[in-house]
Amino acid sequence: MAQRKNRTDRRLDLIEAARRAIIRHGIDGVQLSHVAEEAGLTSGAVLYHYPDLSELLVEAHHAGMERFYEQRLRRLAMVTDPVAKLVMTVRSGLPTGPLDPDVRLLNELGGAAGRNRMYGVLLTSLYDRQVSMYQSILDTGSALGVFRLTAGSLTIARNLVALEDAYGYRITARHPIIGPDEAAELILSYARSATGNDLHH
C-alpha cells in the first residue's frame, strides 16, 4: 500500500505542478484547474493546501529562482580560487538549453513584472543577490591581486548579471548560433577584459 504523503511533500508537489502549469499556459493564463491537472488532483485539493492561488504561483517562482542564487552559493563555498569561482558562476547562470524549465519560468515572471508588483520585487531581489555574489568574487580576486578591475566591482557585477539575463533569453528564444557554451564564452570575454585575467584554471 502506497504511503500517504505528508503536508510538506504535498505542497512541494503542488509547487512543481504550478511551475509546469505556468510554463505551459503562461503566468497570465494559468488557472487553478491547470495546476490541479498537472498535480493529478481536484481543484478543491489544491485549495486545501493553497487557498490563494497567487501564493502558490509566487512559491513556484521562488523555487525556480533558488537555482540561480542559493544553489550557486553552495557550489561556490566548495571553491577557494577566485578565477575558478568566477568561471563557475558564469557557466552556472545560463540555461541548459531552450527548454530549461527554470529559465522559462523566469522569462514568464519577467514578462509579468510590469503588471504585478510582487513578481517585480522577486526579480529585483534575485538580480540584487546575484550582483552581490559576483561582487564578492571580484572583490576577493582584487584583494588577492588576481584581478585588476577596469571598473568598480559593483559595475562589473551588474554587467555580468545583465549579460547572463540577455544571453539566457537568447538561448530560450532558440537563437541558431548562441547556445550555453557560446553564451558562456561571450560573457567570459567581457569578464576577461574587466578583470585583467585570462580566466584559465
Side-chain angles (χ1 to χ4, degrees):
M1 183 174 171
Q3 187 176 13
R4 192 173 179 188
K5 292 196 173 188
N6 64 34
R7 188 174 176 84
T8 300
D9 288 341
R10 180 61 75 191
R11 286 172 70 94
L12 290 173
D13 287 348
L14 288 173
I15 290 169
E16 187 57 40
R19 293 177 65 198
R20 293 194 301 270
I22 292 165
I23 292 169
R24 183 170 301 199
H25 301 284
I27 188 63
D28 292 325
V30 70
Q31 298 175 8
L32 176 63
S33 59
H34 297 143
V35 177
E37 181 182 353
E38 290 288 343
L41 298 170
T42 64
S43 294
V46 176
L47 289 173
Y48 172 77
H49 293 281
Y50 286 96
D52 183 354
L53 178 61
S54 63
E55 179 192 347
L56 174 56
L57 298 182
V58 167
E59 286 204 28
H61 281 298
H62 187 270
M65 290 189 289
E66 181 193 6
R67 165 178 155 195
F68 294 102
Y69 182 68
E70 284 94 345
Q71 289 183 17
R72 289 164 100 184
L73 276 186
R74 286 195 289 269
R75 289 182 62 195
L76 288 172
M78 298 183 281
V79 179
T80 56
D81 175 26
V83 171
K85 277 181 183 273
L86 185 56
V87 173
M88 176 189 294
T89 305
V90 167
R91 294 192 183 282
S92 62
L94 292 165
T96 56
L99 299 180
D100 188 312
D102 293 327
V103 179
R104 290 176 68 194
L105 199 66
L106 288 176
N107 288 346
E108 284 292 333
L109 192 66
R115 300 182 299 277
N116 185 306
R117 184 176 177 277
M118 178 58 71
Y119 296 153
V121 168
L122 283 171
L123 278 180
T124 298
S125 172
L126 176 62
Y127 172 80
D128 288 344
R129 287 184 293 165
Q130 288 177 302
V131 168
S132 69
M133 177 175 60
Y134 271 114
Q135 190 176 10
S136 175
I137 297 168
L138 293 167
D139 285 340
T140 300
S142 178
L144 293 173
V146 176
F147 298 151
R148 297 180 304 282
L149 304 183
T150 59
S153 61
L154 179 59
T155 296
I156 297 171
R158 285 174 171 167
N159 284 333
L160 286 167
V161 178
L163 287 169
E164 265 185 26
D165 291 345
Y167 284 121
Y169 180 78
R170 292 292 143 228
I171 293 167
T172 56
R174 300 176 186 274
H175 192 287
I177 58 171
I178 298 178
D181 291 340
E182 292 79 11
E185 188 52 40
L186 287 164
I187 297 171
L188 287 170
S189 71
Y190 164 72
R192 290 184 187 103
S193 298
T195 61
N197 188 294
D198 62 13
L199 300 182
H200 290 308
H201 68 281

